[in-house]
Amino acid sequence: MRILGIETSCDETSAAVVQDGRRQLSCAVRTQIDIHRLYGGVVPEIASRAHVESIGQLTQMALDSAGLTLADIDGIAVTAWPGLIGALLVGVNFAKGLASATGLPLTPVHHLRSHVAANYLAHPELSPPFLALIVSGGHTSLVYVTGYTEFQTLGRTRDDAAGECFDKVARVLGLPYPGGVAMDALAQTGDPEAVSFPSAEVRGAPLDFSFSGLKTAAVNFLHNAQQKGQDFCKADFAVSLMDSVAQALTGRLEEAARQVQAPALVLAGGVSANSVLRRKAQETAQRLGIPLFLPPLSLCGDNAAMVAAQGYFELQAGNIAASSLNALATKEIDTSKL
Ligand code: KG4
Ligand code: ZN
């Protein structure tokens, strides 16, 4: 079964074709990073307009590079939630148009479910159940994946997402958007113990996170140094912050894995590209004696191949959109809360 995936939830426009949820036949991605960098972050209105300009062309590119036409496609999958509403609406309306013109079934895909599904493309042996740590620019959660379309949230951030924390601190540090990527590059040479940050723990909720205190401490450190004209090593600062965030994430990942006796661990989302987090997750898996699955760097960020992969499993589960399908800015990943 060949699925055409469409992704426009944030600042990447993408279309892809995936066979049976596992084999990527093509994936065309156009990032808007250069446009948004001028403003230091994503400007929603500009993102929507850029999606409108690109989505038709990228869909044709995805079909062409797979050597296929729409007649060879068996279903369409589109990111319908959560995300920037104007951006999501571009993809959802485009996909609805395609579905009604071709008569193909259309399935709505949850953005975080698709980040998890990026791992199915890279690891043929991976199948639920497993414990996923999903870390992106807008979300940070620990999710027990009991089936391809069965999800149970065990913990989540109470305030900022990990990616948001990196992006905001990086901006104050004077690094270009997206800050997480620039900070990771900077962090390759520093000393992780050089600067200490408050813990990201939430009292009484051992599987939840809170990154706002950490973010504020980091921003205060930078403002203090600036006001006093004090010099500091940016690499030390960056790697210390990443180490604290990764420590918080993997500490709870380990705790949750023990609680549910998870047979495997999975990382997902843009921040799963982070070198410190990947290393710490590996150590966690080794301590637990269970396998860890990491998305390849090419599939960590937003892309339509992961949407098509998850779309295959959603269609198999009978999740077909009505013609009234609308995009939603927020929606839980959990099966019980659909
Ligand atoms: O999943 P994603 O591409 O978009 C959302 O769904 O939000 O995640 C983007 C986030 C941004 O906050 C970006 O700074 C962060 O992922 N990111 C990283 C790295 N690469 C991307 N953060 C830390 N280290 C990286 N290597
Ligand atoms: Zn994402």
Side-chain angles (χ1 to χ4, degrees):
M1 200 179 186
R2 295 191 195 103
I3 307 295
L4 172 68
I6 304 286
E7 157 65 31
T8 65
S9 70
C10 190
D11 60 348
E12 263 90 31
T13 318
S14 180
V17 183
V18 168
Q19 175 117 24
D20 298 332
R22 294 279 179 174
R23 198 155 71 87
Q24 184 179 316
L25 302 183
S26 67
C27 184
V29 184
R30 185 172 295 160
T31 181
Q32 305 169 6
I33 282 178
D34 286 345
I35 312 173
H36 299 297
R37 188 167 279 161
L38 302 171
Y39 307 94
V42 179
V43 182
E45 172 71 16
I46 294 176
S48 309
R49 287 169 187 267
H51 287 312
V52 171
E53 286 165 11
S54 290
I55 190 61
Q57 199 189 10
L58 285 170
T59 301
Q60 195 56 55
M61 282 164 63
L63 288 168
D64 289 349
S65 80
L68 302 171
T69 69
L70 275 176
D72 304 307
I73 299 298
D74 303 298
I76 301 171
V78 64
T79 312
W81 42 64
L84 299 173
I85 192 65
L88 287 166
L89 280 166
V90 176
V92 166
N93 275 302
F94 181 80
K96 279 168 73 168
L98 265 187
S100 98
T102 55
L104 289 169
L106 173 65
T107 189
V109 172
H110 191 289
H111 183 60
L112 301 182
R113 290 188 181 194
S114 69
H115 270 302
V116 171
N119 286 281
Y120 300 141
L121 293 167
H123 308 291
E125 70 281 27
L126 174 65
S127 60
F130 53 80
L131 177 65
L133 172 62
I134 310 175
V135 260
S136 72
H139 299 86
T140 304
S141 30
L142 273 167
V143 177
Y144 199 36
V145 182
T146 50
Y148 290 101
T149 57
E150 304 283 321
F151 300 80
Q152 193 193 340
T153 300
L154 304 178
R156 64 173 71 230
T157 181
R158 296 286 182 96
D159 38 56
D160 294 342
E164 202 176 343
C165 171
F166 290 146
D167 292 345
K168 286 190 179 151
V169 175
R171 184 144 63 157
V172 181
L173 195 56
L175 297 174
Y177 171 84
V181 184
M183 283 241 269
D184 198 5
L186 192 60
Q188 295 308 310
T189 55
D191 167 11
E193 316 241 307
V195 186
S196 54
F197 292 101
S199 118
E201 285 178 7
V202 179
R203 206 176 296 157
L207 299 184
D208 281 350
F209 311 95
S210 166
F211 292 108
S212 76
L214 225 150
K215 180 192 71 183
T216 307
V219 168
N220 286 347
F221 175 94
L222 294 174
H223 283 156
N224 262 330
Q226 203 176 25
Q227 277 159 12
K228 292 180 187 157
Q230 276 169 349
D231 217 12
F232 65 95
C233 172
K234 284 188 178 180
D236 280 354
F237 173 84
V239 75
S240 297
L241 180 67
M242 294 202 151
D243 197 76
S244 300
V245 170
Q247 187 57 49
L249 292 170
T250 52
R252 280 159 184 70
L253 177 67
E254 184 164 348
E255 173 70 30
R258 290 192 197 282
Q259 271 188 28
V260 299
Q261 298 192 324
L265 302 178
V266 162
L267 289 197
V271 182
S272 60
N274 185 259
S275 57
V276 181
L277 178 60
R278 289 171 89 94
R279 198 170 56 241
K280 280 198 188 291
Q282 205 78 61
E283 291 163 9
T284 304
Q286 264 158 18
R287 253 195 315 277
L288 291 163
I290 58 176
L292 166 72
F293 297 91
L294 296 167
L297 294 181
S298 59
L299 290 175
C300 285
D302 296 341
N303 67 83
M306 66 186 194
V307 179
Q310 181 61 25
Y312 167 77
F313 296 108
E314 298 288 346
L315 280 173
Q316 295 285 96
N319 187 1
I320 295 174
S323 58
S324 58
L325 174 69
N326 201 353
L328 295 172
T330 57
K331 187 164 173 92
E332 299 288 340
I333 194 175
D334 299 56
T335 317
S336 58
K337 294 176 187 161
L338 281 178

